[in-house]
Amino acid sequence: MIRALFQLLLDYRCLSMTYSLYYAPGAASMAVHWMLIELDIPFEAQLVDIKAGAQHTDGYRRLNPSGRVPTLIVDGVARGESAALLMLLAERHPAAGLAPAPGSADRAEWLELMVYLANTLLPAMRDWFYADVDGDTAGADAVKALARKRIEAAWDKLDRCLADGRHYLVGGSLSTVDFLAVMLMRWSRNMARPATTWPHLSPYINRLRELPSFIELNAREGLTEWVN
Ligand SMILES: N[C@@H](CCC(=O)N[C@@H](CS)C(=O)NCC(=O)O)C(=O)O
């Protein structure tokens, strides 16, 4: 009887932990998709064809009013913002150890880097790729020039973090910071100075790209560029 009740509880927990990810290959959804694969938990992946404008349909905007990917359905509610989703998943699946626990020695550095990536590097990337869509075409070159400076300053900063020979950005093990950072590094692949040209970022990127979850992610998203 007790065993049956326990099983029921487990089944319920499993059911309530299923997710649905709305993604576009290589987009800001990539970090979340990677984490879901790394967590090895059940989830559905729904392709949003952003090149065809599917993010602007009424149906999608009901899930994500800003018309962007990712969206993750969590307990039946649509949630957005890649960095927030990574942190939420880490909180919901603490046994996976993909974020330092509150109060632990590495927690502050983890918070600092998550916020830095989300509020400094990610917006600079947005400006780099969307300057003429989000703003005036006439001013796009100036916006892109500033974005490029900010992006390269971020590679300097992250390169310094890794200069002590650490294998992961925080706490000696894989964390949400790595999912987000590597996704952003990938976006620089066609820039004048891609992240792979920084001395400590290069081995870091190669190491992370070797992870079975990253290889699986690329296979599922149909991506063949920027792999080892
Ligand atoms: N701050 C958002 C940014 C999301 C974002 O800009 N996503 C891009 C793809 S990388 C997108 O949906 N672009 C489609 C569009 O803006 O029309 C997040 O991190 O989730």
Side-chain angles (χ1 to χ4, degrees):
M1 172 71 181
I2 290 182
R3 186 174 294 183
L5 205 66
F6 185 64
Q7 190 56 50
L8 207 70
L9 269 173
L10 269 182
D11 290 349
Y12 173 75
R13 195 172 149 75
C14 249
L15 207 68
S16 68
M17 287 277 188
T18 55
Y19 301 100
S20 211
L21 174 70
Y22 289 79
Y23 80 103
S29 42
M30 195 175 180
V32 181
H33 201 177
W34 186 1
M35 181 159 177
L36 287 165
I37 293 170
E38 178 67 36
L39 284 169
D40 197 19
I41 52 174
F43 71 93
E44 281 175 10
Q46 315 265 6
L47 185 67
V48 181
D49 188 350
I50 61 173
K51 286 193 186 118
Q55 71 277 32
H56 302 306
T57 57
D58 289 348
Y60 188 71
R61 286 237 182 214
R62 268 194 290 279
L63 298 175
N64 188 309
S66 56
R68 293 184 186 173
V69 290
T71 298
L72 186 68
I73 311 294
V74 182
D75 297 339
V77 181
R79 305 282 179 198
E81 288 303 325
S82 54
L85 295 173
L86 295 173
M87 294 191 285
L88 182 68
L89 285 171
E91 190 177 302
R92 287 168 65 92
H93 302 276
L98 293 171
S104 66
D106 298 314
R107 183 75 174 183
E109 191 176 20
W110 173 76
L111 282 167
E112 207 177 310
L113 278 173
M114 283 304 290
V115 173
Y116 175 76
L117 294 174
N119 85 351
T120 301
L121 182 51
L122 222 152
M125 281 290 185
R126 175 87 201 176
D127 287 348
W128 173 260
F129 287 109
Y130 288 90
D132 54 347
V133 177
D134 292 350
D136 284 343
T137 318
D141 284 348
V143 171
K144 286 187 77 170
L146 177 57
R148 184 181 159 187
K149 268 192 176 178
R150 292 198 168 130
I151 292 164
E152 290 179 1
W155 303 150
D156 287 340
K157 177 186 166 74
L158 297 174
D159 196 74
R160 278 196 302 277
C161 285
L162 293 162
D164 61 7
R166 63 179 72 184
H167 278 201
Y168 302 95
L169 276 163
V170 176
S173 63
L174 183 68
S175 79
T176 58
V177 167
D178 300 301
F179 299 132
L180 195 53
V182 171
M183 176 189 84
L184 292 161
M185 289 171 191
R186 183 180 182 280
W187 291 356
S188 73
R189 67 194 182 282
N190 296 320
M191 294 181 70
R193 291 185 67 205
T196 41
T197 58
W198 266 256
H200 302 103
L201 297 187
S202 172
Y204 165 78
I205 289 167
N206 282 330
R207 199 177 309 119
L208 273 280
R209 289 196 303 205
E210 271 170 17
L211 290 178
S213 54
F214 185 81
I215 294 167
E216 177 64 21
L217 168 71
N218 280 273
R220 290 198 199 180
E221 295 206 352
L223 302 171
T224 50
E225 274 182 282
W226 212 75
V227 289
N228 282 359

